[in-house]
Amino acid sequence: MKIKKNDLVLVISGRDRGKKGKILQVFPRENKAVIEGVNKRFKHLKARRGKEKGERIEFNAPIALANAMLFCPKCNKGVRAGFKVEKDKKIRICRKCKEAI
């Protein structure tokens, strides 16, 4: 998988298309990720006791990784990631500008 936690990504499809955000959590088996500020949902909680009020909790739901693209700050675009081996270390690079991400 080429996208990891704390990466900056660009959403390329869906109702949040064009938004940029940091990846908060990745689910590799489901091929999904939670992105900050994208796919906001609300969970409604019922009041448990008599004087307590019900709550409305906002959270970011996971989206498919196919709908997110790695963002290159140098190109200022969403790009595909490539790999390059430097000094026995594998690093991710931007396919357009060949810079390390």
Side-chain angles (χ1 to χ4, degrees):
M1 190 158 59
K2 296 180 181 182
I3 295 178
K4 298 178 182 180
K5 187 177 174 180
N6 293 325
D7 282 343
L8 191 63
V9 293
L10 176 72
V11 178
I12 57 173
S13 68
R15 67 179 178 150
D16 291 319
R17 183 185 322 149
K19 286 187 181 178
K20 286 184 274 189
K22 188 172 80 167
I23 292 191
L24 302 174
Q25 201 174 9
V26 178
F27 304 105
R29 284 188 180 176
E30 292 93 37
N31 212 17
K32 292 186 176 198
V34 176
I35 302 171
E36 186 177 36
V38 174
N39 200 18
K40 289 188 178 180
R41 301 284 179 203
F42 290 96
K43 187 179 280 190
H44 296 81
L45 297 179
K46 207 183 237 188
R48 299 240 178 221
R49 297 186 190 113
K51 293 185 180 179
E52 193 177 294
K53 282 191 172 183
E55 292 181 70
R56 193 172 161 209
I57 298 172
E58 184 179 10
F59 66 99
N60 296 319
I63 69 165
L65 283 174
N67 297 335
M69 196 172 215
L70 203 56
F71 186 79
C72 177
K74 188 176 181 213
C75 299
N76 205 25
K77 293 180 185 176
V79 294
R80 292 186 305 157
F83 290 100
K84 188 176 179 182
V85 178
E86 284 186 358
K87 299 176 188 171
D88 299 330
K89 194 170 184 182
K90 192 174 175 182
I91 59 169
R92 290 180 300 162
I93 60 168
C94 169
R95 286 265 178 103
K96 291 187 179 185
C97 67
K98 307 295 185 208
E99 289 291 319
I101 296 177

